[in-house]
Amino acid sequence: MDNFTFYSPTYFVFGKETENETGKYVKRFGGHKALIHYGGGSVKKSGLLDRVKKSLENDGIAYCELGGVKPNPRSGLVYEGIDLCRKEGVDFILAVGGGSTIDSAKAIAAGVPYDGDFWDFYQGKPVDEAVPIGVVLTIAAAGSEGSGDSVITKEEGMFKRSAGGDAMRPKFSILNPALTQTLPPYQTACGITDIMAHLYERYLTNTKDVEVTDRVIEGLLLTMIHEAPRVMADPNNYEARANIMWAGMLAHNNCCGVGRTQDWASHNLEHELSAMYDCAHGAGLAVAMPAVFTYNLNHDVMRFAKAAVRGWGIQMDFDNPERTAKEGIEALRSFLISLGMPKNLEELGGKEEDIEKLAYTACYGDVETGTTGGFVVLNQKDCENVYRLML
Amino acid sequence: MDNFTFYSPTYFVFGKETENETGKYVKRFGGHKALIHYGGGSVKKSGLLDRVKKSLENDGIAYCELGGVKPNPRSGLVYEGIDLCRKEGVDFILAVGGGSTIDSAKAIAAGVPYDGDFWDFYQGKPVDEAVPIGVVLTIAAAGSEGSGDSVITKEEGMFKRSAGGDAMRPKFSILNPALTQTLPPYQTACGITDIMAHLYERYLTNTKDVEVTDRVIEGLLLTMIHEAPRVMADPNNYEARANIMWAGMLAHNNCCGVGRTQDWASHNLEHELSAMYDCAHGAGLAVAMPAVFTYNLNHDVMRFAKAAVRGWGIQMDFDNPERTAKEGIEALRSFLISLGMPKNLEELGGKEEDIEKLAYTACYGDVETGTTGGFVVLNQKDCENVYRLML
């Protein structure tokens, strides 16, 4: 196991009707005037925004609002949010939404006290200071409610890049699984796929002898395999929603990813897909993961076999572990398709002729490393090959 | 799943030689003058205390010392520590040791700013304020490095009781698995048993539909079953020590225990054993657990069968689930004995004629609830029966 530090200081408030305590927690964590940041009309239509405002009012918290966050959140709205916060003297940022809204809120929070362009943080500058952030979560997916990370797309060039730092960790996150019951099934499935990707990206490691994190990842994967079909069959199943929501947090606050190298090739290749085609992140991952894993299979057959046996309950073929490993990847692919996820680039709206550009941007985009992935280091040619496996 | 809050703000620093960063973290969390609190001679003999002091000196942290913490830490030393901290103007308490030392440090930390008797906190008064605490851990066992709990024995009457509160959570915990390599095998085994008990106490729940926490507990249990024999066979196995140490933290910071009722009957019955016979906590648990589980088996056969199948890899007997459930308890018992743990009351130094008193104190001790246990509520008569199963 590698040396590591682990820090997850967010106060989680989980369960039914907990959004009515929002004001109490903004107050506890020092807020006086909040920016309520959200996406489209669903938080209005559902009445959630009104309940959150009422809770703020009950605790004497002033607020202003900025809606309009879109999936794959853009830099333009971040600049707008930073200006608004400065003008209004905001001292707390409250994200009411999913990963995109939270990530946008984190970018605003980091940008407000910073003299330069907030995009610097998305080009590698550490975030040392940020306005405190709170979350009312509306979808189990990104894990951003328990992480110090944020992903933003810069409109000039459509670069999708990430920033991170402890200052961007939410002070509190309110997780009410009932709020996710009204999601369209496709969005629920995208969230489930994202959570499963967070588990796989950590599982695919070159660090030896990490049984404890392997076992926790497997346990969370088994949970997703058990709960996802229940929630797809009955969107109002609170218990299944609750299990998925807590799994989503644990999958990404990194308690199961510490002390080991991780991969993130699927995420990185997906970022180019959603930047180019504006597809849902989860949908892109559903196409990217089986391709990346198939391409990387022979790097460590036994690790893929372990995921197959322990995660998917496949019988080990002791004479041919590669067969078991492949069966595990096929099980993942079939599972995601059964949730309604796309199965190839075409279904994402992608085209074969874009592959060269996708691979180039993945390797030589805004961050010019020339490679991607920590499990197997993929160069531009490798990325092209992986994208071709998505056809 | 029940509504819950989860808060684990401790900064964990994990890995080789991390104790040399102690001063840096005391400074980061606002300390200027520390009380170094520890147990016996082992931290001196191993050179650990010197390395910690050197690290404090390097970062300009003043310190004073209080050694002498014993297993099942006593109130007397806590009073001494509180006096010393006040006299010396200590603003940070650094526990260098295992669960007993950390628990004693937490009691001192809560007592220093409090006008009354610190024992009030161990009789139910919430801990709202405490001097900040840091930890350099020397044994994987109690999980106190990541919890807000503390257990102290009051010398008058030998009552062993617990207190808890977020203010008692360590600001940082330094976890270097190499520091545990010099432990006597018996202590290593006691620590392993304690970790497994923390998992079982959470697993035994009456809350339905808690797959995510079930699966994480099972994953951690599987880790212990895999790693414990490795570390008993080779005490210098750093990797096995590392897996156990992280599992010990995750087992008890409650990320796998939220949203569900828990049991704690084994711990409560054990507290009376170690209070009366001054046996090691883990040794007492090794005797208490199989007895409690056997007594409670018919309350929920399927839950014990699930632990047997998923934790111990026992084949499910679909015609006779009770047989599977019992096999799981026997597997636990044999496993603990294989680690060198005692198998009955006699080996703990206990006597049949004490059972009435043990059962009375468990139910009507300092806290007069008359019962113990959350999975099955055990009254005094039940407790007598359970203690008899330990003969």
Side-chain angles (χ1 to χ4, degrees), chain A residues 1 3-4 14 16 239, chain B residues 1 3-4 6 14 16 239:
Chain A
M1 200 180 298
N3 280 17
F4 66 84
F14 191 103
K16 292 172 183 165
E239 297 299 338
Chain B
M1 200 179 298
N3 280 16
F4 66 83
F6 176 74
F14 192 104
K16 291 173 183 164
E239 297 298 339

Side-chain angles (χ1 to χ4, degrees), chain B residues 18-47:
Chain B
T18 45
E19 68 272 19
N20 299 326
E21 298 177 55
T22 308
K24 181 174 99 181
Y25 288 102
V26 173
K27 199 172 177 177
R28 180 182 297 185
F29 289 99
H32 302 87
K33 180 158 189 181
L35 172 73
I36 308 178
H37 197 38
Y38 57 92
S42 62
V43 295
K44 288 186 182 167
K45 210 165 59 186
S46 68

Side-chain angles (χ1 to χ4, degrees), chain B residues 100-284:
Chain B
S100 298
T101 300
I102 303 168
D103 283 10
S104 183
K106 286 174 176 176
I108 295 170
V112 170
Y114 179 57
D115 282 341
D117 183 348
F118 91 90
W119 191 252
D120 294 347
F121 299 122
Y122 293 76
Q123 291 189 299
K125 190 182 164 67
V127 180
D128 294 326
E129 197 190 346
V131 176
I133 301 155
V135 169
V136 179
L137 189 66
T138 59
I139 179 170
S144 190
E145 69 277 13
S147 86
D149 305 321
S150 159
V151 179
I152 298 290
T153 299
K154 192 177 187 183
E155 274 126 331
E156 292 162 30
M158 293 308 278
F159 294 123
K160 193 169 181 179
R161 294 289 173 260
S162 62
D166 288 335
M168 292 211 291
R169 290 184 180 276
K171 297 295 176 193
F172 69 83
S173 285
I174 290 176
L175 277 56
N176 176 356
L179 299 180
T180 70
Q181 288 173 350
T182 52
L183 285 168
Y186 186 76
Q187 281 190 37
T188 296
C190 285
I192 288 165
T193 307
D194 197 13
I195 293 169
M196 295 177 78
H198 292 160
L199 295 167
Y200 266 98
E201 300 277 25
R202 290 179 166 85
Y203 199 71
L204 297 174
T205 186
N206 295 314
T207 313
K208 298 296 172 204
D209 228 334
V210 285
E211 188 74 1
V212 62
T213 37
D214 273 358
R215 283 292 191 188
V216 176
I217 294 171
E218 290 156 9
L220 295 170
L221 190 61
L222 286 160
T223 303
M224 297 306 295
I225 295 167
H226 185 261
E227 299 296 344
R230 294 175 76 203
V231 82
M232 297 312 292
D234 174 13
N236 289 318
N237 187 328
Y238 177 86
E239 297 298 339
R241 296 271 187 193
N243 279 290
I244 288 172
M245 197 169 236
W246 193 238
M249 198 294 285
L250 292 176
H252 203 49
N253 87 334
N254 212 29
C255 66
C256 62
V258 288
R260 52 195 287 153
T261 66
Q262 304 181 1
D263 189 14
W264 299 97
S266 299
H267 266 72
N268 291 336
L269 295 189
E270 192 295 309
H271 283 174
E272 305 313 326
L273 294 174
S274 49
M276 189 178 284
Y277 307 120
D278 211 22
C279 61
H281 176 53

Side-chain angles (χ1 to χ4, degrees), chain A residues 1 30 60 78 96 106 143 217 256 271 310 318 323 325 352 361:
Chain A
M1 200 180 298
V78 174
V96 181
K106 285 173 175 176
I217 294 170
C256 61
H271 283 174
R310 291 186 176 179
F318 291 91
R323 182 175 154 237
E352 187 171 359
T361 320

